[in-house]
Amino acid sequence: MSPQPVPLGIDPALMTQLINLMKRLSTTIPDMGAQVDRSLATVQLQLYGPGTARDIGRQIAGKVPDLQRRLDLMLAAQKVALDTSKALWADESKWLSDTPAAGAATAKRLADALRTGLKKGTIDAKTLAELQKHQEDPYFAVAFATQMPPHELKSLIAKLYRGQTTPAGADPEVMAQLDKLSAALGTILGTASRGAGGMKLPKGYVDELLKHLDIPETAFALNKLLRSGTYDDAFLLEIATKVYDYERKQPRQSPYWLNFTPTTQPANDLPAAYKDPMAAVAAALANNSRAAQDFFTDPKRKPLDYLMRERPWHEYTDTDLGNALEAATRTFRDHDQPPEQSRGYKSALIASWAMHFWGNPQVQNNLPHTRQNVGNIISAYMSDLHRASVDRVAHKPGVITRDPDTMLAGTQPYGAVFDRDGISGVMKWAFADTDVLKTVVTGHGQYSIEVLDERAARLAEQNRADFEKWHKAHPNATAAEIAAQRQKILEERMNGADGAVFSQAIERLSRTLFVITDAGNIAKIESADQHDKMFNAFKEAVTSVADLAPGPQGKIAGWLFDRAKSQVADQFTAGAGAAARSEAATTTGQTVDMFMDLTADAMMRHGLFGDGEVPARTHPHASVNYPRGSEGDFMDGDKIIPWSRMTAKQREAYTEWITSPDTGAVFRNPSNAVTEGFNQANDAGGQGG
C-alpha cells in the first residue's frame, strides 16, 4: 500500500520573515552590486549578463506581492478554520490555482459553462465536477465572484430549480444534481468571502447579494447558497444584520412575508421554506459560531427576543434557528479570558437568555422543532443545571463569572444562569421528545461520572498517603497487619469528614437527577402508551449510563454528550428495559438504583471497596456465596461489569453484595446520600415518580 500524501502547509510566521527578508534583499542586493561595479570600474573591469545584482534584486522584488497575497489568504482561512490562532500550519492542499491569473481563467471558463447550461436547462456533470474541485481554491473563488456577479448568480439558481418545478413533480436525480451545484456555489462564495489583501470580493458585494429581498428568487437563492460553505465572520455578520434590519421594517402583509407564508404560496412554485431569508441566515450562522455569537449579542438589536418569541417560523425552519443557537452556545467554552474578550462568556450569556425565552409557552409554540437543541444545550451546561436545582430564589439571565462549579477541580468555563422553575418548565416541554430526555439523562450521568471519579480519586490518594505514613513508622509489619491497616484507614475515611464530603456531592447530584426525572413527568402520564414510551426511553438512558467511561478531568466536552447519546441508542435492546437493578415500575426507583451503581463503580475503580486480593470484607471477592471466578463473579479486573451486561447469576451476586452489611462499612453513607438527595428534591416541590 502506497503512503498517503501529507497535506502541505506553510508556517505563516516563517513566511512573514521570508517576505521581510526578500523586501530587504530586493534593495540591498542592487546597492551592493553598485558598490561592486564601482570597485571593478577602478580596475577597468565590468560584469555582464542576467545574473547581475540589479537583475537578481528585481526578480526577488517581483516575487514579494505573490507571496504576500498567498500569506494574506492563508491567514484569512486560518481565522475561520481554527478556534484560536495558536496553530501554525495552514493547509493549501485545495488551492489548485498557482496564480490569480490562472484562477481567473478557470473562473471565466466555468462561468461561461454555467451560462450555456442555463440555456439548456441543465448543468452537465463535467462542469459540476470542476466547480466542486475548485470550490475551496481562493484565487478561483474570488475571480468567480467577479465573473458571475450576485444578480446573475441568484438568477441562475432560481431559474434552474424553477425549471424543474412541474405539476407532475421534479426528477429526483436532476434535483439531487442541482442541490450539489448550489452547495458547490455556496462553498465557492464562502471561500471568496475570506479573501484578503488584494484578493477580495468587490466592494458592495453584500448589498448586491441582498438586493430585492422582497422577491422569491433572491430569498430562494440565499437559502441555497448560505447553507453551504464557510463564510468570513464579518461578511456573514453583515448579511445577518442587513437581513434582520430589512425584515423588521416590513409590514406582515408585505411581499417579503407573503413570499414564504405557506398559505399564500402559488401552486407548483419554489418551496416556501426555502424562500425565507432569515432562515437562510440562521442556517449560515449554525456553521459559523463566532458570527452567530456576535449577531445574537448585538447590543443595538438584541435579536433573541424577536427571533424566538415574535417572529413566525414556518414548516421546519425553526430548526435553523435552533441549530444556530446551539452553535453559539456549545462551541466555545472557556474561563481564561476576561468577559469582554471571551467567547466562552458569550456562549454562557446566549445560553442563559435562550433558556429564559424557551421557558415561555409562546416561544415553545413558535419553535416546536427545537426540543433537541434544548437538550443538547442543557447537557453542555450540566454544571449550571446542577447549580440551579438547589437554588431557592429566582435569577435573571446572566453569566456566572466566578468558578461556576466547585464540584470539579480547577476553574470551569463561564456558567449560564438558569432559574430552577424556569429550566424545569423548559425540560418538561422538551422531554415530549423522548430523544431529548435520553440526551439530558445521559448528559447528567456523564457529568456525575466526572464528579464521582474525581472525588473518589481524592479519597484514594488520601488513603495512600495515610498508609505510606503508617508503613514508614511500621516497616516490619506483617502482611496481615498491612491488610488490616489499609482497611482501617479506608473505613475510617469513608465514615469520617472526607467521606461526608463525598456523600454530600452524591446527594447534590441526586437532587439534580430528580429534577430531570420529575421534568420528564413520566409517573403522571395518564396514557398507558405514552407512559410506556417515555418510561422505556428513560430506562434506555439509565441502564446505559454506567457503560460510559469517564471523560477528560475538569471539563465536560460537548462531544461526550453526542457520543453518549449514540451509545445509548446502540446498546439498548428490546430486553434491556428489564436490566435495571430494581424491578419497581417507578422512575424514582430505577433512577436511585442507577445512581447507586454509578457511585459504586466510581468507588471500585479507585479501590474504595478495599483490596480484592486479600480480599477485604467490603470487596465482592470476599463473598462466600459468589467468590472470585464463580459464575456470579461480576468483576472485570478492578471494574464492575455494567448491569446491562451481567448474567442472571452476576446480577444476583451484585445485589447481594451491594446490600450486604459488610459492604455498608464503606457504602452506607454514599448509598443513603442517593436516596436523601431524591427525597429532599421531592420535598422541595417535585412530585416524583
Side-chain angles (χ1 to χ4, degrees):
M1 181 182 294
S2 59
Q4 293 295 317
V6 179
L8 299 178
I10 296 176
D11 182 338
L14 293 179
M15 192 166 178
T16 300
Q17 294 178 24
L18 173 62
I19 291 172
N20 292 335
L21 175 61
M22 291 176 69
K23 287 179 179 178
R24 291 196 299 270
L25 288 175
S26 66
T27 57
T28 57
I29 288 180
D31 289 343
M32 292 174 60
Q35 294 178 26
V36 171
D37 288 343
R38 286 194 296 268
S39 298
L40 292 174
T42 61
V43 293
Q44 297 182 341
L45 292 175
Q46 189 173 4
L47 293 178
Y48 298 96
T52 62
R54 183 177 300 149
D55 185 56
I56 293 172
R58 188 165 47 249
Q59 291 182 42
I60 292 175
K63 294 292 184 183
V64 168
D66 286 339
L67 290 174
Q68 185 64 57
R69 182 164 43 237
R70 205 161 187 87
L71 175 59
D72 290 339
L73 290 171
M74 280 195 301
L75 293 176
Q78 188 180 58
K79 179 184 67 174
V80 171
L82 304 173
D83 292 346
T84 70
S85 59
K86 295 177 181 177
L88 292 176
W89 291 86
D91 182 13
E92 294 184 79
S93 60
K94 297 181 180 180
W95 295 18
L96 304 182
S97 303
D98 293 330
T99 65
T106 305
K108 184 180 185 310
R109 178 169 55 81
L110 291 181
D112 288 342
L114 287 175
R115 295 182 183 107
T116 301
L118 179 60
K119 293 178 182 179
K120 298 178 180 178
T122 183
I123 303 301
D124 66 80
K126 181 180 178 182
T127 299
L128 174 58
E130 282 206 72
L131 285 168
Q132 291 173 320
K133 181 180 177 181
H134 286 271
Q135 62 187 1
E136 295 182 70
D137 178 354
Y139 290 157
F140 166 82
V142 175
F144 184 86
T146 303
Q147 288 288 337
M148 183 164 284
H151 72 275
E152 186 179 5
L153 182 63
K154 293 185 293 183
S155 177
L156 172 81
I157 293 172
K159 286 180 179 179
L160 284 172
Y161 275 93
R162 184 162 272 160
Q164 297 300 319
T165 304
T166 64
D171 184 337
E173 291 187 8
V174 175
M175 293 300 287
Q177 285 294 94
L178 289 180
D179 287 343
K180 290 179 181 179
L181 172 66
S182 62
L185 293 174
T187 303
I188 291 168
L189 181 57
T191 303
S193 74
R194 305 195 305 271
M199 299 293 298
K200 289 185 177 181
L201 286 172
K203 187 176 181 180
Y205 188 93
V206 169
D207 291 331
E208 289 298 314
L209 187 66
L210 301 182
K211 196 171 183 179
H212 303 307
L213 266 179
D214 59 345
I215 67 173
E217 290 78 7
T218 293
F220 182 81
L222 283 178
N223 269 277
K224 286 299 181 181
L225 289 169
L226 296 183
R227 291 174 184 274
S228 302
T230 304
Y231 291 86
D232 175 73
D233 297 2
F235 178 86
L236 184 53
L237 187 60
E238 183 181 359
I239 288 178
T241 54
K242 287 184 174 180
V243 170
Y244 180 87
D245 291 345
Y246 182 90
E247 177 175 296
R248 295 304 304 270
K249 296 176 183 177
Q250 305 307 306
R252 285 298 167 89
Q253 293 303 312
S254 66
Y256 175 87
W257 289 100
L258 297 178
N259 284 338
F260 58 89
T261 303
T263 57
T264 61
Q265 296 304 299
N268 304 319
D269 196 25
L270 300 169
Y274 277 88
K275 291 189 286 187
D276 181 348
M278 190 55 68
V281 167
L285 292 175
N287 294 325
N288 188 322
S289 303
R290 289 174 304 278
Q293 286 191 333
D294 293 341
F295 177 62
F296 290 138
T297 58
D298 185 325
K300 175 184 175 183
R301 294 171 177 83
K302 298 180 180 178
L304 272 184
D305 184 19
Y306 166 75
L307 291 174
M308 296 185 72
R309 186 174 60 85
E310 295 182 39
R311 186 189 197 276
W313 297 84
H314 298 295
E315 299 182 15
Y316 282 84
T317 55
D318 59 317
T319 59
D320 293 321
L321 178 62
N323 292 338
L325 289 169
E326 189 175 334
T329 54
R330 293 184 61 195
T331 305
F332 302 106
R333 303 298 307 278
D334 69 71
H335 205 142
D336 54 359
Q337 296 290 328
E340 61 274 10
Q341 299 175 12
S342 170
R343 285 285 176 191
Y345 180 92
K346 283 189 174 183
S347 296
L349 182 64
I350 297 168
S352 180
W353 276 103
M355 287 302 161
H356 172 74
F357 288 125
W358 256 310
N360 184 333
Q362 183 178 346
V363 173
Q364 295 168 7
N365 290 332
N366 192 37
L367 305 176
H369 307 106
T370 61
R371 288 181 169 92
Q372 188 63 58
N373 301 117
V374 168
N376 292 344
I377 294 172
I378 289 176
S379 290
Y381 287 81
M382 194 56 65
S383 289
D384 304 303
L385 176 64
H386 177 64
R387 185 180 56 256
S389 69
V390 297
D391 276 345
R392 299 180 180 180
V393 296
H395 296 281
K396 293 181 179 179
V399 180
I400 301 294
T401 55
R402 64 181 187 278
D403 182 3
D405 190 356
T406 57
M407 295 278 280
L408 290 167
T411 302
Q412 299 306 304
Y414 284 110
V417 177
F418 297 147
D419 172 66
R420 172 177 167 154
D421 292 338
I423 197 68
S424 178
V426 174
M427 289 192 293
K428 286 179 181 178
W429 168 75
F431 289 172
D433 183 335
T434 56
D435 280 341
V436 181
L437 173 66
K438 288 186 286 186
T439 298
V440 176
V441 170
T442 308
H444 178 273
Q446 179 67 65
Y447 172 74
S448 299
I449 290 172
E450 300 289 340
V451 173
L452 295 173
D453 194 67
E454 188 175 285
R455 290 186 172 266
R458 291 187 206 175
L459 292 176
E461 183 56 37
Q462 290 171 324
N463 290 343
R464 280 192 293 271
D466 285 356
F467 173 75
E468 289 172 3
K469 181 179 179 180
W470 175 87
H471 197 209
K472 188 175 182 179
H474 302 80
N476 299 319
T478 64
E481 290 171 334
I482 288 174
Q485 185 61 28
R486 283 186 189 276
Q487 190 67 14
K488 179 183 177 183
I489 291 172
L490 169 63
E491 293 183 13
E492 287 180 350
R493 174 147 280 113
M494 294 304 298
N495 292 288
D498 295 326
V501 173
F502 183 66
S503 295
Q504 177 67 19
I506 296 169
E507 183 180 303
R508 287 196 59 194
L509 290 168
S510 298
R511 287 173 65 100
T512 306
L513 188 52
F514 177 88
V515 171
I516 296 172
T517 303
D518 188 59
N521 209 25
I522 300 167
K524 291 175 282 186
I525 297 175
E526 295 182 1
S527 166
D529 291 342
Q530 184 64 13
H531 176 275
D532 290 344
K533 179 181 178 182
M534 291 293 290
F535 190 50
N536 287 333
F538 179 83
K539 288 165 77 173
E540 286 186 39
V542 299
T543 57
S544 301
V545 163
D547 289 343
L548 299 178
Q553 294 297 303
K555 292 190 177 182
I556 309 300
W559 65 268
L560 285 172
F561 301 114
D562 296 330
R563 185 184 66 173
K565 180 182 173 185
S566 66
Q567 286 187 343
V568 168
D570 291 343
Q571 293 170 0
F572 187 69
T573 62
R581 187 156 52 82
S582 170
E583 295 304 324
T586 66
T587 307
T588 302
Q590 298 285 1
T591 309
V592 167
D593 285 342
M594 181 272 287
F595 210 73
M596 284 189 181
D597 293 347
L598 278 184
T599 303
D601 188 57
M603 291 174 62
M604 184 66 74
R605 284 198 306 272
H606 294 281
L608 298 185
F609 285 108
D611 190 345
E613 296 300 322
V614 174
R617 67 179 179 131
T618 50
H619 195 278
H621 286 163
S623 172
V624 175
N625 294 328
Y626 301 100
R628 186 204 314 267
S630 68
E631 60 180 340
D633 186 357
F634 53 83
M635 294 296 296
D636 180 9
D638 61 352
K639 298 179 182 179
I640 299 173
I641 295 173
W643 180 270
S644 59
R645 291 190 306 216
M646 288 184 188
T647 65
K649 280 292 184 182
Q650 288 172 327
R651 291 174 183 170
E652 184 179 301
Y654 178 80
T655 303
E656 179 181 287
W657 167 75
I658 206 166
T659 57
S660 167
D662 283 330
T663 305
V666 293
F667 196 58
R668 181 187 64 232
N669 291 338
S671 63
N672 286 342
V674 175
T675 54
E676 287 173 9
F678 274 80
N679 290 336
Q680 288 178 13
N682 192 16
D683 293 341
Q687 297 302 312

